[in-house]
Amino acid sequence: MTTAAPNAVPAPPPGCPFDAEFLPPNLRKHVDPAAPVPLRMMAAKSLVPLSPSDMVGALYMLTFDPDANVRETAAKTAAGLPDRILGSALRDEEVQPQVLGFLLGLVKGNEAYAEMLVLNASTPDDAVADVAKDCSPKLAEIIGQNQLRLLRHEDILRNLCANASAPVSLVDNVCDFAVRSGLTLMDVPQMKAARVRVFGPEAAEAPPPQGPTAEEVLQEFQEAADESAAPMEEGKRLTLAQRVMRMSIAEKIKLATLGNKEARTALIRETNKLVAVAVIRSPRITDGEVLSCAANRAMMDDVLRVIYSNREWTKNHKVKMALVKNPKVPLTVTMKFLNSFRDAELKDLSRDKNVPAAVQGFAKKLHEKKTAPKKQG
């Protein structure tokens, strides 16, 4: 049997949505369908030295393994992982969304674990919607507080409204917010009641006009849905921006998820933080857009927080440099990044008048410390 090169990324098992690139190269063999079963079984039993986040990713991959025993063992191990491993992995936003959704299905009966996953911004909306159907009042409250999820994925609201355990006051508040934000959901009785509360009896069957929908905008500007489309001409871009201004909050969030870079560029300037955060959290966002947002001194704090909290994005040195130079990024975050900068970069930053004074000062101290001659013992 031929074996792959030690650092090669093996093909994932059939049906698995990602490969083993996230694992240390020397341990990828443990999820490789072409590797001997005993090697895969070691990982399925969590006998391989992995971080909590990598371990849950490996176990998820092994639930697609060609060998039934490996699949069953991996699923059983995942459901029974100790608190110190699960507690760490469930909070980690860098874990693959499919893994978090899988884990939520496994542990939703455990209130503490389910809460961690519902609070994790990377947990898929459809997994949260599934839990919203019959979760406890406490978990329903937590789900109802995530306004971005509610507007981005309508089934979360539908299922909360159908949940007999969800407090009536919570459902009313959530529906009022959704109606004000432009959601309709004609099939949900509680939303009809909310329209009456917010707009009056005449809005019972249909809300007042609230501008174009995301679907209408994408139909009018078909290139706004295609990431490979050529840049829009200036006149058309201006017309798109005008359409976006007339959209409801809910429709803007849908467009942030479905649209391309042109649409996201029009939306990232929004003053509503839910819309701006929906843009930066779009699964289609590019590294170039992230860098541009990181360098933008007028960017909303909430967007910058998403960027500097993302370990994958801050591996990019250009993104780190842009964040360090942005006066809206907290100094505690900047100081952490500066510790990884080279001497020459620290020297340049200490003299850069466009950098916040506190960053200049800290860069100067770091540079002096790194370049000071060491005392002879």
Side-chain angles (χ1 to χ4, degrees):
M1 181 176 67
T2 57
T3 56
N7 291 338
V9 180
C16 185
F18 54 82
D19 62 31
E21 189 176 6
F22 67 97
L23 291 174
N26 62 319
L27 298 175
R28 291 170 184 165
K29 59 191 176 186
H30 290 283
V31 295
D32 184 354
V37 170
L39 275 180
R40 285 142 46 204
M41 189 60 83
M42 280 179 68
K45 292 178 177 179
S46 74
L47 299 177
V48 177
L50 290 169
S51 70
S53 299
D54 286 349
M55 184 175 292
V56 295
L59 288 171
Y60 175 79
M61 288 190 74
L62 290 169
T63 63
F64 294 87
D65 195 87
D67 186 279
N69 287 333
V70 172
R71 292 197 301 270
E72 291 164 14
T73 302
K76 186 177 178 181
T77 301
L81 286 171
D83 287 347
R84 61 186 166 75
I85 293 177
L86 267 183
S88 172
L90 302 187
R91 294 185 181 93
D92 188 353
E93 292 189 12
E94 304 299 317
V95 172
Q96 296 88 342
Q98 301 93 332
V99 178
L100 295 172
F102 162 71
L103 290 171
L104 184 52
L106 282 181
V107 305
K108 63 183 179 182
N110 182 309
E111 186 90 351
Y113 288 159
E115 185 176 322
M116 290 177 200
L117 283 161
V118 165
L119 288 169
N120 189 325
S122 296
T123 301
D125 292 338
D126 55 356
V128 175
D130 186 59
V131 168
K133 287 185 296 193
D134 51 12
C135 63
S136 68
K138 181 185 177 186
L139 204 54
E141 290 274 3
I142 293 170
I143 292 172
Q145 287 167 6
N146 192 322
Q147 296 177 329
L148 177 55
R149 280 199 195 279
L150 290 170
L151 298 182
R152 193 171 58 194
H153 195 83
E154 296 173 356
D155 282 348
I156 294 177
L157 182 54
R158 281 195 177 89
N159 291 347
L160 269 183
C161 289
N163 185 341
S165 298
V168 174
S169 58
L170 167 71
V171 171
D172 287 349
N173 287 338
V174 164
C175 288
D176 287 355
F177 160 75
V179 164
R180 288 192 184 96
S181 299
L183 274 190
T184 307
L185 304 190
M186 302 299 289
D187 56 316
V188 180
Q190 293 95 325
M191 287 289 282
K192 179 177 180 179
R195 284 195 295 278
V196 171
R197 284 194 298 273
V198 173
F199 295 121
E202 63 278 8
E205 299 308 324
Q210 297 195 54
T213 66
E215 287 80 7
E216 288 168 350
V217 168
L218 290 174
Q219 190 167 5
E220 182 179 353
F221 303 90
Q222 293 183 4
E223 61 267 58
D226 182 4
E227 292 292 350
S228 61
M232 283 185 183
E233 58 186 51
E234 194 55 40
K236 208 164 191 181
R237 186 177 292 125
L238 182 62
T239 306
L240 172 63
Q242 291 169 341
R243 293 284 192 277
V244 166
M245 285 177 64
R246 294 176 49 229
M247 296 172 76
S248 69
I249 300 300
E251 293 300 330
K252 286 175 182 177
I253 287 171
K254 285 183 190 173
L255 185 61
T257 306
L258 300 173
N260 72 350
K261 183 179 177 181
E262 294 275 11
R264 291 191 296 272
T265 300
L267 291 163
I268 196 67
R269 303 187 185 99
E270 280 289 317
T271 55
N272 184 288
K273 72 175 185 179
L274 292 177
V275 176
V277 171
V279 172
I280 200 65
R281 289 200 178 278
S282 167
R284 303 172 76 180
I285 197 86
T286 65
D287 291 344
E289 290 171 88
V290 172
L291 178 57
S292 176
C293 290
N296 188 340
R297 294 178 172 224
M299 190 52 60
M300 199 174 290
D301 292 348
D302 298 78
V303 172
L304 291 173
R305 189 177 302 113
V306 172
I307 296 172
Y308 64 67
S309 299
N310 187 300
R311 290 198 305 272
E312 198 59 38
W313 287 340
T314 54
K315 286 178 185 175
N316 183 327
H317 197 69
K318 289 181 180 178
V319 170
K320 275 200 289 194
M321 182 64 81
L323 290 168
V324 161
K325 291 183 176 182
N326 194 324
K328 298 186 79 173
V329 174
L331 187 58
T332 51
V333 175
T334 299
M335 289 166 65
K336 181 182 72 174
F337 291 150
L338 283 175
N339 280 303
S340 67
F341 280 24
R342 297 187 296 272
D343 293 347
E345 291 171 326
L346 292 172
K347 185 177 180 180
D348 289 343
L349 285 168
S350 70
R351 298 173 175 181
D352 190 339
K353 300 300 182 186
N354 293 319
V355 171
V359 175
Q360 270 187 305
F362 188 71
K364 184 178 180 181
K365 284 181 183 177
L366 264 182
H367 177 254
E368 289 172 350
K369 184 179 177 182
K370 286 188 172 187
T371 56
K374 291 185 171 68
K375 293 181 180 179
Q376 296 297 319

